Amino acid sequence: MSSTPLSDTIAGHRATIQAALDKSASQPVELIAVSKRQPDERIEAALDCGHRVFGENRVQEAHEHWTHRREINGLKLHLIGPLQSNKSEDAVALFDVIQTVDRPKIVRTLTEAANKLQKFPELFIQVNTGEEPQKSGVLPGNTEELVDLVRQTYPGHLAGLMCIPPAEEPAGPHFALLARLAGENGLSALSMGMSADYELGARFGATHVRVGSAFFGARETG
Ligand SMILES: *Cc1c(COP(=O)(O)O)cnc(C)c1O
């Protein structure tokens, strides 16, 4: 571990977020540092301060950030962005957790890829709690059917549910809905909460929060 001004800054952010999570949650919460569109030196700095759990929302960019770092001890990578079926094999090869399962076709292509590679990432089902037409995720009313399909075809690796609430609405009711759906379906993991609302997510029972800008600093645009 080396100390630089940048790694001190990121270590400070990380400690602040972790302290807030410890205060808000009665359950353990995994802090996923979302490294999409972050400069490489910030990723290095996060690794320097001992962080090992990261999230990316594009498979291609994730390769650029992580393929050469994949062997780092304890590294855990979450895919948190929409997955195209033709990228399933790539995603299974790179990620430990895929949070954005949202339709039967993806369940099928992930299952094929996992069987072929004999590597079985943990899965989350993304739920479109706000029923927004442009947003990915299964509708709340179709969640149970998709849970059943994953349990049948990809047994033993369904961790829980994930959501991204509508930007312009209070997040609390969406977190509550996700927690209820998880309970009804016997799932224990809940990925909910980002930079603006990770404490709220933790209070509503999040087991995973996905924090980008509050962890690393503002993202590059584009
Ligand atoms: C970018 C992103 C995040 C992190 O966003 P911040 O507001 O920077 O914390 C979390 N979840 C998903 C799905 C994302 O795409």
Side-chain angles (χ1 to χ4, degrees), residues 8-191:
D8 289 348
T9 302
I10 288 180
H13 293 169
R14 179 180 186 239
T16 302
I17 297 164
Q18 194 58 60
L21 291 173
D22 291 345
K23 216 173 92 187
S24 310
S26 48
Q27 70 286 1
V29 185
E30 184 163 82
L31 171 57
I32 301 168
V34 178
S35 48
K36 70 180 185 199
R37 302 204 319 268
Q38 291 290 352
D40 212 59
E41 62 266 24
R42 292 190 189 162
I43 294 175
E44 268 314 303
L47 290 164
D48 275 350
C49 61
H51 202 77
R52 290 294 179 270
V53 184
F54 295 90
E56 290 281 351
N57 76 337
R58 289 170 179 222
V59 177
Q60 181 56 41
E61 190 190 8
H63 271 297
E64 289 159 19
H65 282 164
W66 297 106
T67 298
H68 62 295
R69 298 185 165 115
R70 195 50 272 207
E71 299 310 316
I72 291 172
N73 201 14
L75 186 72
K76 188 168 178 188
L77 296 180
H78 291 253
L79 177 62
I80 61 170
L83 180 59
Q84 292 167 315
S85 55
N86 64 358
K87 296 272 172 64
S88 288
E89 193 170 323
D90 243 12
V92 167
L94 181 63
F95 289 95
D96 302 288
V97 185
I98 296 173
Q99 295 204 359
T100 48
V101 177
D102 66 349
R103 56 195 190 278
K105 184 172 186 196
I106 287 293
V107 178
R108 192 169 72 243
T109 56
L110 285 176
T111 302
E112 283 167 12
N115 285 325
K116 178 174 166 193
L117 301 178
Q118 282 302 299
K119 176 172 184 276
F120 295 86
E122 293 282 303
L123 302 183
F124 284 67
I125 289 173
Q126 181 177 354
V127 183
N128 184 357
T129 57
E131 309 201 14
E132 295 171 280
Q134 81 287 5
K135 195 165 271 176
S136 18
V138 66
L139 293 174
N142 298 337
T143 304
E144 184 179 344
E145 201 179 339
L146 196 60
V147 167
D148 289 345
L149 180 68
V150 174
R151 284 188 168 138
Q152 280 162 28
T153 62
Y154 193 108
H157 302 280
L158 180 60
L161 304 179
M162 173 271 212
C163 76
I164 310 170
E168 64 289 351
E169 288 181 26
H174 296 276
F175 294 163
L177 171 60
L178 198 71
R180 180 166 67 72
L181 288 168
E184 288 170 1
N185 285 285
L187 293 165
S188 55
L190 287 168
S191 173

